[in-house]
Amino acid sequence: MQVWKTSVQLFLGSNRTRNRCCLVGLKELYFTAFTQRAAFSCTRILFCPRDSVSKSDERFTASKLKKTFVSKQHKCAATRDDRFKLPKTQKGKVSSELQKLRFEDFSESETGRILRHIQKKSEPNEDKELEIVFGVAPCLLALTQSRRKPSRLFVKNSDGPQRDVILKACQEAVKRGVQVERVSKQTLDKMCGGKVHQGLCLQASPLGFITEERPITSHGVKNHRALWLVLDGVQDPMNLGAIMRSAYFLGVDRIASSIHNSCPLTPTVSKASAGVMEVMEVFGYSNLKDMIKVKAEEGWHVVGTVGLEECSLESTVVPCSDFKISKPTLLLMGGEGDGLSPELRQMCDVLLTIPPRRNLHPGVESLNVSVATGILLHSLLSTRTGS
């Protein structure tokens, strides 16, 4: 402070020319002294003994810091509130429930905290952990079908108008009391492992195979023309999802799968099925041979599938276009590698194949299992007879 007083006296006692020349230097002296004063006041409380600090200095420093912190906090809150209002659609106004909704703003430094939180168990007494369902259709159907127990819905932070289907998912989440949080695209990428999430992720309980047997009430069974699709060792989640989507679209009555050597019902399968996994149940069997044996004794027709290179004179192989369903039928499909297992192939009444329309080059004699399943299902279900 003594330096500041001396500089002021010199400034007032000199002529105007000297004042103009020294103006810049005087400002530097003034701000240097003020900065030193502020730094000394802030650090004095931390490093000096308690009894050597005056109460006036303590009150001055505390009040200054409090005013600065509170003012910045209000500015940040106001900016965050204006920035993260839910946008309105171009077709219509957002509902009153969504107008009251405010999303939390998560910075990238908090991404790790979010990822650690979503890996926790839903309740201490539950053994199953929550998982991340990603994609618009899987998330929306998971909320509406109520087969899962949803926890939180994560929406991509976007300044533009949201898609109508995303707003619909938010409305379904609010209706069911599910917390909705707005996060960055990078956070969503980490949640689903870099897969295509379409700006939407849902934290929910997992889905699994249905293991208990249920009474058959299908209209197809009453008319003696039901079709069950039996999957033996399909391990690729993309194939399983595509098979489920085709089976649901074409009218399969039930999907049955082996449990031990097959792909589980993961969020990737749900995304590949365009959300069909959230709608259609998949029954799991630890021993497909026993289930097929029971159905064969009940009069069901057991139909297997093979490629052209697997055809032999000992087995009856029929082109799929020549086969018609006239009674309840099991269609057995093998996995990506070895196809249908020898044990299940021996239990088949007839084997179906898809004849090619050209001479095939060596190494490309077969179809993808999901593509072959779609062709066979369309051929069988379009020709089944009975009333």
Side-chain angles (χ1 to χ4, degrees):
M1 292 301 294
Q2 186 62 32
V3 175
W4 179 76
K5 291 181 180 179
T6 305
S7 61
V8 172
Q9 291 176 358
L10 291 174
F11 176 74
L12 295 177
S14 60
N15 56 34
R16 297 192 181 208
T17 303
R18 210 173 344 169
N19 288 344
R20 295 192 192 98
C21 296
C22 297
L23 182 58
V24 177
L26 181 60
K27 288 183 178 179
E28 292 179 357
L29 287 173
Y30 174 77
F31 284 111
T32 303
F34 179 80
T35 305
Q36 292 175 351
R37 168 72 177 179
F40 176 75
S41 301
C42 293
T43 57
R44 185 181 180 188
I45 301 176
L46 299 176
F47 297 100
C48 296
R50 184 72 178 176
D51 54 358
S52 65
V53 181
S54 64
K55 293 184 178 180
S56 59
D57 288 340
E58 291 182 12
R59 287 194 297 268
F60 172 80
T61 305
S63 62
K64 287 291 184 183
L65 293 176
K66 183 177 180 181
K67 289 180 181 179
T68 304
F69 175 77
V70 172
S71 62
K72 289 184 178 181
Q73 190 178 32
H74 283 302
K75 290 181 180 178
C76 293
T79 304
R80 185 166 61 244
D81 187 68
D82 293 337
R83 181 181 176 185
F84 297 105
K85 290 181 179 178
L86 187 67
K88 297 182 179 180
T89 59
Q90 297 178 354
K91 295 183 179 180
K93 294 183 178 180
V94 181
S95 63
S96 58
E97 292 181 346
L98 287 180
Q99 288 178 358
K100 298 178 182 178
L101 182 64
R102 292 294 181 271
F103 295 111
E104 296 181 13
D105 176 25
F106 291 94
S107 62
E108 287 306 305
S109 61
E110 295 179 289
T111 301
R113 179 181 62 82
I114 296 175
L115 296 178
R116 287 192 300 270
H117 179 77
I118 63 179
Q119 293 174 354
K120 292 182 180 179
K121 298 179 180 180
S122 57
E123 293 181 7
N125 296 330
E126 291 187 2
D127 296 329
K128 296 182 179 179
E129 295 184 354
L130 301 178
E131 64 183 12
I132 297 297
V133 182
F134 56 92
V136 172
C139 292
L140 181 58
L141 290 172
L143 287 169
T144 56
Q145 296 301 311
S146 302
R147 294 180 60 201
R148 298 178 183 265
K149 184 179 179 182
S151 175
R152 291 195 293 175
L153 181 68
F154 299 93
V155 185
K156 186 181 73 171
N157 181 8
S158 177
D159 296 332
Q162 297 283 10
R163 295 170 55 188
D164 291 344
V165 66
I166 293 182
L167 292 176
K168 185 177 180 181
C170 293
Q171 288 176 333
E172 294 293 339
V174 172
K175 186 188 303 182
R176 288 163 175 77
V178 179
Q179 183 180 355
V180 182
E181 297 181 3
R182 195 166 187 177
V183 297
S184 64
K185 179 181 180 298
Q186 290 75 13
T187 302
L188 293 177
D189 291 339
K190 293 180 181 179
M191 285 183 184
C192 60
K195 300 181 178 67
V196 181
H197 50 71
Q198 298 175 302
L200 209 61
C201 287
L202 176 68
Q203 182 186 20
S205 59
L207 285 181
F209 294 109
I210 306 298
T211 55
E212 69 275 7
E213 192 62 33
R214 297 180 180 178
I216 303 172
T217 59
S218 173
H219 178 71
V221 173
K222 295 180 181 179
N223 294 325
H224 307 288
R225 54 190 179 92
L227 178 63
W228 285 15
L229 177 61
V230 181
L231 304 177
D232 178 28
V234 176
Q235 299 179 351
D236 191 330
M238 303 302 292
N239 283 335
L240 181 57
I243 289 172
M244 293 180 64
R245 187 174 185 179
S246 298
Y248 179 77
F249 183 85
L250 295 172
V252 171
D253 296 280
R254 175 180 289 190
I255 299 179
S257 174
S258 55
I259 295 178
H260 301 300
N261 61 336
S262 299
C263 175
L265 301 181
T266 62
T268 303
V269 176
S270 182
K271 182 65 172 64
S273 69
V276 170
M277 195 185 86
E278 311 297 328
V279 179
M280 192 173 189
E281 295 177 339
V282 181
F283 289 77
Y285 296 89
S286 57
N287 193 329
L288 284 178
K289 186 177 179 179
D290 293 343
M291 185 272 290
I292 295 173
K293 184 178 180 180
V294 171
K295 292 300 176 184
E297 293 175 352
E298 294 177 356
W300 286 55
H301 205 174
V302 182
V303 179
T305 54
V306 293
L308 286 178
E309 70 279 1
E310 299 175 297
C311 297
S312 64
L313 297 176
E314 299 177 358
S315 58
T316 304
V317 180
V318 179
C320 61
S321 57
D322 295 341
F323 183 81
K324 295 182 179 181
I325 296 178
S326 58
K327 61 180 180 179
T329 303
L330 299 178
L331 177 62
L332 277 56
M333 296 295 302
E336 295 88 354
D338 300 329
L340 202 59
S341 64
E343 292 182 348
L344 298 186
R345 189 179 301 182
Q346 293 177 359
M347 302 179 67
C348 296
D349 301 322
V350 63
L351 296 175
L352 300 183
T353 187
I354 303 174
R357 299 297 179 90
R358 69 191 308 169
N359 294 327
L360 302 178
H361 192 277
V364 288
E365 299 95 345
S366 62
L367 289 171
N368 174 272
V369 62
S370 63
V371 175
T373 303
I375 295 174
L376 289 167
L377 290 178
H378 183 269
S379 178
L380 269 62
L381 291 171
S382 61
T383 60
R384 64 181 176 181
T385 60
S387 57

